């Protein structure tokens, strides 16, 4: 039978009951793309799990479909979340689909344009604060305890349940687990979900376990630097988080798997962002590219061995953040007159 969406596909791995609504936007089932040029250049076997092809353009749809379905099942009036943009877009879409209210709290001026446009279109109620994600999360946690709105940040266990299916798909697509899983880290839910997923898949299918290698942005690298960061900063706004909620789970994933939570600089993120677009035709948002930057860094230090089979999670679509693309690349289109010969003349000049 054709693909019926994530909950249906993985119902035997998820706490689904007879009463769980059959909610789906056909999330999941994303491609695993081999990076042939970069693999050759870097001397290893790299694949990207292109989560930007989910219905709202990020990996959040995997967790959100299940968290919203369970909130509906429990009779909640609506859902509430703090967000750097992607969680909000996913919560807004799935709550619209489920006929529930959606309240999102975001740091003013720090949300990529595409993400904000999505939340507006899906009809969420949007609250901005003059503060950061960590402060927004504190607000929604308290509000969820004191209202009939369900909290759908990744501290909601159903979010991690849904997101662990990314690990299942990788094992199915590769026919085995990779040696290394490289993943961006913000609030640290996804790295925790993937580790859970690889362990559960191993129990049923006897696959091996990858080293979990998580990458924060240097200016918000709370886990890697082992300190809360009061004023996190990075160009990768999606992971601009200074006190990750799933900190302990992420540390456990790295330790148990003999991996590491490390950081990469904004410069390294931007370089990776451009590299995968230009050499592979894959456009992912800046935060996603922390995984690619991290692979480059750890191949150089020898922490990742040459010849390894590596999967990098590209968490969000590049189209989410058009401003960074346009500001970062100073290349402007060339203006020509609309005459028949203009383009040929231009080409002749350009090759000179
Ligand atoms: N990549 C992207 C594109 C994200 O949007 C996020 C998190 C992450 C990576 C990090 O994942 O938090 O599970 O470690 N975005 C959240 C949001 C915080 O509100 O959209 P994590």
């Amino acid at each position: 039978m054709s693909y019926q969406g994530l909950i249906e596909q993985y119902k035997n791995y998820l706490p689904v009951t007879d009463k769980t609504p059959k909610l789906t936007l056909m999330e999941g089932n994303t491609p695993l793309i081999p990076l042939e040029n970069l693999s050759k250049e870097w001397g290893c076997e790299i694949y990207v799990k292109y989560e930007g092809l989910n219905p709202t353009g990020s990996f959040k749809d995997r967790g959100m479909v299940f968290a919203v379905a369970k909130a509906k099942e429990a009779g909640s009036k609506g859902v509430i979340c703090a967000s750097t943009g992607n969680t909000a877009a996913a919560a807004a879409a799935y709550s619209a689909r489920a006929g529930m209210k959606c309240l999102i709290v975001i740091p003013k001026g720090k949300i990529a344009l595409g993400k904000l446009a999505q939340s507006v279109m899906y009809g969420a109620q949007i609250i901005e604060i003059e503060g950061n994600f960590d402060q927004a999360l504190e607000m929604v946690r308290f509000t969820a305890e004191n209202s009939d709105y369900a909290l759908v940040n990744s501290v909601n266990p159903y979010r991690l349940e849904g997101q662990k299916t990314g690990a299942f798909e990788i094992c199915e697509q590769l026919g085995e687990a990779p040696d290394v899983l490289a993943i961006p880290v913000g609030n640290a839910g996804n790295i925790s979900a993937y580790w859970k997923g690889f362990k559960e898949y191993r129990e049923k299918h006897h696959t091996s376990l990858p080293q979990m290698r998580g990458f924060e942005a240097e200016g918000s690298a709370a886990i890697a630097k082992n300190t809360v960061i009061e004023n996190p900063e990075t160009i990768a706004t999606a992971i601009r988080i200074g006190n990750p909620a799933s900190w302990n789970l992420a540390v456990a994933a790295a330790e148990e798997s003999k991996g590491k939570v490390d950081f990469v600089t904004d410069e390294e993120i931007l370089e990776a962002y451009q590299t995968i677009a230009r050499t592979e035709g894959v456009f992912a948002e800046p935060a996603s590219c922390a995984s690619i930057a991290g692979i480059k860094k750890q191949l150089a230090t020898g922490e990742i061995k040459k010849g390894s089979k590596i999967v990098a999670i590209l968490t969000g679509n590049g189209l989410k953040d058009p401003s960074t693309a346009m500001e970062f690349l100073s290349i402007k289109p060339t203006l020509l007159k609309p005459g028949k010969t203009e383009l040929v003349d231009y080409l002749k000049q350009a090759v000179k």
Side-chain angles (χ1 to χ4, degrees):
M1 193 154 52
S2 65
Y3 187 74
Q4 307 265 301
L6 188 140
I7 297 180
E8 180 59 28
Q9 183 75 12
Y10 292 112
K11 61 185 175 208
N12 296 335
Y13 292 83
L14 298 169
V16 175
T17 73
D18 296 345
K19 301 210 172 62
T20 310
K22 295 199 181 312
L23 184 65
T24 188
L25 283 165
M26 298 297 165
E27 58 294 316
N29 197 24
T30 57
L32 188 71
I33 308 172
L35 298 190
E36 285 166 4
N37 299 319
L38 220 54
S39 294
K40 225 177 265 168
E41 199 180 317
W42 291 358
C44 49
E45 201 180 321
I46 310 177
Y47 299 81
V48 289
K49 184 72 171 152
Y50 194 39
E51 289 290 280
L53 285 186
N54 274 297
T56 78
S58 88
F59 74 98
K60 303 287 181 180
D61 293 344
R62 292 182 185 276
M64 200 56 75
V65 67
F66 200 48
V68 172
K70 292 303 268 187
K72 178 101 176 166
E73 181 178 344
S76 300
K77 173 173 152 195
V79 299
I80 184 170
C81 66
S83 184
T84 57
N86 282 325
T87 296
Y94 283 94
S95 56
R97 186 92 169 166
M100 298 171 80
K101 290 187 184 304
C102 179
L103 182 62
I104 66 176
V105 183
I106 55 176
K108 187 172 189 308
K110 297 292 183 183
I111 305 294
L113 184 64
K115 301 175 190 178
L116 197 54
Q118 287 180 290
S119 290
V120 169
M121 279 302 294
Y122 296 131
Q125 198 171 341
I126 304 170
I127 311 289
E128 288 188 322
I129 59 163
E130 304 266 9
N132 59 37
F133 171 86
D134 305 285
Q135 293 164 314
L137 184 59
E138 208 179 302
M139 286 168 73
V140 295
R141 281 180 123 160
F142 182 76
T143 309
E145 279 164 22
N146 293 286
S147 71
D148 48 6
Y149 279 72
L151 183 65
V152 293
N153 279 105
S154 55
V155 290
N156 176 329
Y158 299 127
R159 280 280 310 279
L160 299 199
E161 288 297 313
Q163 284 171 215
K164 76 184 180 188
T165 61
F168 301 165
E169 286 180 18
I170 289 171
C171 293
E172 285 159 9
Q173 289 166 315
L174 271 184
E176 60 182 343
D179 302 319
V180 173
L181 195 281
I183 186 166
V185 173
N187 211 23
N190 212 25
I191 187 172
S192 311
Y194 267 87
W195 182 233
K196 188 172 197 291
F198 282 118
K199 287 193 291 187
E200 286 183 16
Y201 202 82
R202 173 193 169 94
E203 270 175 32
K204 288 204 179 169
H205 303 278
H206 312 290
T207 39
S208 59
L209 293 171
Q211 292 176 0
M212 301 296 290
R213 298 192 169 272
F215 298 98
E216 298 179 297
E218 186 178 25
S220 42
I223 302 173
K225 295 183 176 173
N226 197 25
T227 181
V228 171
I229 299 184
E230 295 295 337
N231 295 305
E233 266 315 334
T234 168
I235 189 154
T237 52
I239 53 172
R240 187 176 167 271
I241 295 173
N243 189 9
S246 298
W247 189 318
N248 293 337
L249 287 176
V251 169
E255 280 177 2
E256 287 171 27
S257 71
K258 302 190 171 52
K260 185 180 182 182
V261 177
D262 200 349
F263 63 79
V264 285
T265 64
D266 277 8
E267 290 69 32
E268 289 167 326
I269 289 173
L270 287 173
E271 190 202 312
Y273 177 56
Q274 193 173 11
T275 300
I276 58 164
R278 293 204 167 183
T279 63
E280 304 284 357
V282 176
F283 188 24
E285 69 168 284
S288 302
C289 301
S291 59
I292 302 292
I295 292 169
K296 185 175 182 191
K297 176 180 176 178
Q298 293 192 348
L299 278 167
T301 60
E303 288 163 284
I304 298 179
K305 301 271 169 295
K306 291 259 176 196
S308 300
K309 190 173 279 194
I310 307 166
V311 171
I313 310 299
L314 293 184
T315 45
N317 198 302
L319 295 170
K320 291 263 192 183
D321 188 2
S323 321
T324 300
M326 296 306 285
E327 278 160 28
F328 168 58
L329 296 172
S330 50
I331 298 168
K332 295 273 178 291
T334 303
L335 184 66
L336 294 181
K337 293 200 188 82
K340 188 174 166 187
T341 59
E342 288 286 326
L343 189 56
V344 177
D345 294 344
Y346 166 76
L347 272 180
K348 279 185 193 149
Q349 262 202 333
V351 289
K352 266 186 203 156

